[in-house]
Amino acid sequence: MSLLKQRIHPSAIIEAGAELDSSVEVGAYSVIGPHVRIGAGTKVGPHVVIEGHTTIGQDNQIFQFGSLGAAPQDKKYAGEPTRLEIGDRNTIREFVTFNLGTTQDAHVTRIGSDNWIMAYVHIAHDCQLGNNIILANNATLAGHVHLDDWVFLGGFTSVHQFCRIGAHAMTAFTAAVSQDVPPFVTAAGNRAVPAGINSEGLKRRGFTPEQIAAIKRAYKAIYRAGLPLEQAMLELQQQEQKSPEAAEHIQTMRDFIAASARGIIR
């Protein structure tokens, strides 16, 4: 028996055309569709269905009962060959659903690398996720949502379609996000409102006390000083010049706000 056959359970169905590296493991009763590609070292648990034009990178661990690459929950979808792309070293837990993209957006749902995605998470069509993201149990992303690097979503968080959540931001348990969440900001409640910055997360990622203090000052200018948003943006620009150690982070906040299409939580 070849090494490849030893790593694929005899009850699994690997359809003709699927491309699996010889080191890929596939558990019992899993189904791999004909347009699926899976990279070296990835482990697919039992009872997983991977279909559509789905590409999965290296060293991912996909637990049992996941559905990856199914048709989007969008009535406009008419079977176009849109895609799901998953990077490397992701942990994907039980009962997740990741859908293909649609022709109304970038044609692809994309998930980066080194993400930790817990049970029952739903990632809808055309979502774009960066790297080092944590999605706690039952986090739900509607279509076209963007999550930047290092985002943390608390359990049962729901994110409205077309929202964006900036780098290092986080949400509390059961947050309902209907507008953009700027980088570093913590969002809580239904509807979600700002609740400080993700200072503990920043400490864990090596931000200095001076950088965290500067980010707090920027947060206060946006949310606590009673300034109109345009005036708060001018204040951020001044803070960049006064805080060279955190200038790039303040600029990240300012650029995010300026580019926000839905408006930020306030």
Side-chain angles (χ1 to χ4, degrees), residues 164 229 233 251-261 264:
R164 182 181 173 194
L229 189 56
M233 293 283 278
Q251 183 178 358
T252 295
M253 297 179 76
R254 191 161 57 86
D255 290 346
F256 181 98
I257 295 168
S260 174
I264 63 170

Side-chain angles (χ1 to χ4, degrees), residues 2-259:
S2 72
L3 184 60
L4 177 60
K5 288 182 179 178
Q6 287 178 330
R7 288 180 169 153
I8 296 176
H9 194 276
S11 66
I13 298 174
I14 313 297
E15 296 192 36
E19 299 178 18
L20 279 62
D21 184 87
S22 61
S23 62
V24 170
E25 297 181 18
V26 181
Y29 302 105
S30 286
V31 179
I32 311 294
H35 305 296
V36 173
R37 293 185 295 167
I38 303 179
T42 289
K43 298 179 181 179
V44 179
H47 297 277
V48 175
V49 177
I50 306 177
E51 55 188 310
H53 289 78
T54 295
T55 300
I56 300 173
Q58 299 183 8
D59 298 316
N60 296 282
Q61 186 167 10
I62 303 167
F63 283 72
Q64 55 267 28
F65 303 110
S67 173
L68 309 181
Q73 298 178 105
D74 186 327
K75 286 187 175 181
K76 298 183 294 298
Y77 181 72
E80 300 92 346
T82 52
R83 308 188 309 282
L84 170 66
E85 297 177 359
I86 298 173
D88 304 325
R89 299 176 303 279
N90 296 290
T91 297
I92 300 170
R93 295 300 306 236
E94 300 86 351
F95 298 102
V96 300
T97 51
F98 301 171
N99 293 162
L100 299 173
T102 69
T103 58
Q104 282 72 47
D105 200 330
H107 294 69
V108 59
T109 301
R110 184 176 289 113
I111 297 164
S113 298
D114 300 297
N115 298 302
W116 184 267
I117 300 173
M118 299 187 198
Y120 292 96
V121 166
H122 174 64
I123 299 176
H125 59 87
D126 303 295
C127 287
Q128 307 291 317
L129 277 64
N131 307 313
N132 297 291
I133 291 166
I134 297 175
L135 303 183
N137 293 12
N138 291 93
T140 299
L141 308 184
H144 315 279
V145 167
H146 287 220
L147 304 184
D148 293 341
D149 295 346
W150 296 103
V151 165
F152 174 87
L153 299 188
F156 291 89
T157 291
S158 55
V159 185
H160 193 281
Q161 61 186 9
F162 293 103
C163 281
R164 182 181 173 194
I165 299 181
H168 302 281
M170 70 172 293
T171 65
F173 171 71
T174 71
V177 178
S178 58
Q179 290 183 288
D180 294 348
V181 180
F184 313 111
V185 170
T186 295
N190 184 357
R191 301 293 180 89
V193 295
I197 68 165
N198 182 18
S199 55
E200 186 59 35
L202 298 181
K203 290 176 186 176
R204 293 176 182 178
R205 289 166 209 142
F207 281 66
T208 67
E210 293 76 18
Q211 289 171 328
I212 294 173
I215 291 168
K216 285 182 178 178
R217 288 193 296 270
Y219 175 88
K220 289 178 180 178
I222 300 167
Y223 291 114
R224 295 290 181 260
L227 300 174
L229 189 56
E230 289 184 3
Q231 191 172 343
M233 293 283 278
L234 293 175
E235 173 64 22
L236 292 188
Q237 193 170 13
Q238 294 175 6
Q239 289 186 13
E240 284 181 42
Q241 300 170 358
K242 297 176 183 178
S243 305
E245 72 282 355
E248 65 175 303
H249 305 309
I250 299 171
Q251 183 178 358
T252 295
M253 297 179 76
R254 191 161 57 86
D255 290 346
F256 181 98
I257 295 168

